[in-house]
Amino acid sequence: MPALYDAAMPTFIRGLKNLSSMLEKGKAFAAARGMELSELLDARLIDDMASLTKQVQMTTDTAKFVAVTARAEPNDSAPEMLSSFRR
């Protein structure tokens, strides 16, 4: 059975590359229409939805969490390892 890291990280890497590509397209869209990037980054489809900036942050935090905890030895303490990711 493959390790969690080996099974999960290729999916995260592919997803983050796709996300990067979509963000570049959004940047080009904003430039073509003379929009400020903040208009897109703060945009929400519905009032209770997180902004694009927050959604990207949550996505990258999840990838970092899995990368760190999947590489952890059974004796390691995940909270100590993840303290550098807290804001």
Side-chain angles (χ1 to χ4, degrees), residues 18-75:
N18 289 338
L19 177 59
S20 178
S21 176
M22 286 185 267
L23 292 172
E24 287 297 325
K25 288 180 182 184
K27 184 178 176 182
F29 174 85
R33 297 205 171 30
M35 297 171 67
E36 292 290 325
L37 285 177
S38 61
E39 275 186 74
L40 292 178
L41 295 175
D42 296 333
R44 300 163 194 255
L45 296 176
I46 193 163
D47 291 337
D48 64 350
M49 179 180 185
S51 68
L52 177 59
T53 304
K54 180 63 177 174
Q55 291 185 50
V56 170
Q57 183 66 53
M58 290 186 295
T59 300
T60 57
D61 285 349
T62 301
K64 289 185 283 188
F65 176 81
V66 171
V68 170
T69 57
R71 287 281 187 185
E73 294 295 323
N75 304 358

